[in-house]
Structure formats: structure tokens, C-alpha cells
Amino acid sequence: TTTTTTTTRNDTPPRTSIQHTRTYPHLEMVAPAALPLTKLGGLLLKTLSKPLSKRIKHDFSRFPVTQSALVSVGQATHKLTSRLTIWSAGYKVTSIKPLPDEDALKKGAEILGESVVFMVSGGIVVWEYNRSKEKERVKEEERRRKLAEASDALERRLGVLDGRLKVIEDALRRQQQREDEERKMREKMVVMEGNLEGEVAAVTEMENRSWWRWLRS
């Protein structure tokens, strides 16, 4: 049995796909802004303080001791607000009728809940204020540190320039001294040349006179 294997040769080169990527240089990736976690946390605490105040009002309204305390708070708040209302209307306060215990209990519970919300909100405000002051303090310290570093760098640069200036002044002083010495030497040479010329003239005149005398003799 003869098995014949036929192979097909594909001389066609493989087709390559070219992908063109278009770039937009004017578009830049912008990093997402950081989430204000502190503000979100403060908002969360404020939101949770409301059901917490309701829970506290409910728990305080169950026990006799806390009920009497809430009734006292409600009666005191009722008296205070009634007095302020009457005084603001221009009347004189004679007597204020107390609230029923049930109404005073509700009013005291509302004051307690509002106090809880107020304390939580006030604590968050104070904490944010202290945090902002701490940031300002850190920024001020960083600014002072940079100013001190810049001042030190400037002083070092001024010291280097002062040293270079002294070197230049010394070089100029030595150059001036050399020029003064050369000028003095030139002046001496001029004087010496003048004296030498005078002596030469005197010797020449003496020689001429002696020669003339010899001729006459």
C-alpha cells in the first residue's frame, strides 16, 4: 500500500494588519480630585446624630428618674420661652401656667434630642476649625522654613561673592603697585638718561677744547 501525501505550498506572504493610533496632544489625562473624606465623615456623623437623638429620647422616656428630669427640663424651657415671648411683646410677666407632665416630657425629650444634635454638630465644627488651624500652622512653618533656607543660601552666595571681590581687590592692588613701581623706574631712567647726556656733552666739549688748544700750539 502506497500512501501519497500532497502538500500545498502557499507562497502568498501573510497579510499584516496595521493599526493607526490617533493621538490628541491637546487632550491630557486629568487626575481625579481627592474625596473630602473629613467633610463626608462630618456629614455622616451629623446624619447619624438624628436617629441617635431619637433613640436617646426614647430610652430616657422609659425610666422614672429620667422622665422626671425630662419633665423638669421641659417645664424650665416652657417658662423661659414664655417669659421671653411675653417680654418681647411688651407685657409684664405675672405667672406662667405649667405644662402637663406629658407635654413637658415631650418638650424635654425634644430639648435633649436637639442638644445631642447640637453637641455633635458643634464638636464637628470645633474639630474642623482646629484641623484648619493646624493646616495653617503647618503651612506657616513650611513657609518660614523655606524663607530660612533661601536666606541661608543668599548669605552663602553673598559670602562667596565677598571672597571673590576681595581676591579681585587684592589683584588690582598688586597691579597698581606694579604700575607705580614701573612708573618710578621709568622716571629714574629718564633722569639718568638726561644726566648721561649732559655728561657726554661736557666730555665732548672738553675734548673739543683740548683738541683746539693742541692745534694752536
Side-chain angles (χ1 to χ4, degrees):
T1 305
T2 306
T3 303
T4 306
T5 305
T6 305
T7 59
T8 304
R9 184 178 179 181
N10 189 7
D11 295 333
T12 305
R15 182 177 298 175
T16 59
S17 60
I18 301 175
Q19 296 180 355
H20 298 278
T21 304
R22 181 176 296 178
T23 59
Y24 299 92
H26 61 281
L27 297 178
E28 298 179 356
M29 297 296 295
V30 179
L35 291 175
L37 298 180
T38 56
K39 293 184 178 180
L40 291 177
L43 183 61
L44 178 62
L45 288 177
K46 290 180 182 178
T47 305
L48 294 178
S49 64
K50 296 179 179 180
L52 178 62
S53 65
K54 292 181 180 179
R55 182 65 182 178
I56 292 174
K57 287 192 299 183
H58 180 267
D59 292 339
F60 270 58
S61 301
R62 292 172 55 188
F63 305 101
V65 178
T66 54
Q67 284 180 0
S68 61
L70 291 178
V71 169
S72 300
V73 171
Q75 294 291 355
T77 305
H78 170 66
K79 290 180 181 180
L80 178 61
T81 54
S82 299
R83 286 179 183 274
L84 292 176
T85 303
I86 295 171
W87 284 341
S88 64
Y91 297 100
K92 186 178 180 180
V93 180
T94 57
S95 63
I96 298 174
K97 183 180 179 180
L99 290 173
D101 290 343
E102 184 177 355
D103 294 340
L105 179 63
K106 290 181 180 179
K107 197 171 188 64
E110 290 177 359
I111 294 298
L112 177 63
E114 291 176 359
S115 300
V116 171
V117 175
F118 175 77
M119 286 188 295
V120 172
S121 301
I124 293 173
V125 170
V126 171
W127 179 77
E128 289 180 351
Y129 175 77
N130 293 332
R131 185 169 176 270
S132 63
K133 294 295 288 184
E134 181 66 19
K135 284 185 177 180
E136 291 178 0
R137 186 185 65 81
V138 172
K139 288 182 180 179
E140 182 66 19
E141 289 180 354
E142 183 68 17
R143 185 183 67 84
R144 290 181 179 178
R145 185 184 62 82
K146 289 182 179 179
L147 286 176
E149 291 179 354
S151 178
D152 294 339
L154 182 60
E155 288 182 358
R156 290 193 297 269
R157 187 172 181 83
L158 289 176
V160 173
L161 293 176
D162 191 14
R164 293 179 179 177
L165 183 60
K166 288 182 179 179
V167 172
I168 294 173
E169 289 177 352
D170 293 339
L172 290 175
R173 189 180 300 108
R174 290 193 296 269
Q175 180 69 22
Q176 186 66 32
Q177 290 176 356
R178 286 194 297 268
E179 290 178 356
D180 292 340
E181 292 176 356
E182 290 178 356
R183 180 176 55 80
K184 291 179 181 180
M185 289 293 294
R186 286 194 297 269
E187 291 177 354
K188 289 181 179 180
M189 290 178 67
V190 170
V191 173
M192 292 176 65
E193 288 178 356
N195 295 333
L196 183 61
E197 289 178 357
E199 292 177 357
V200 170
V203 170
T204 304
E205 185 178 357
M206 290 178 63
E207 289 179 351
N208 291 333
R209 288 179 180 179
S210 62
W211 179 258
W212 180 254
R213 289 176 182 175
W214 180 78
L215 287 177
R216 291 178 63 182
S217 61

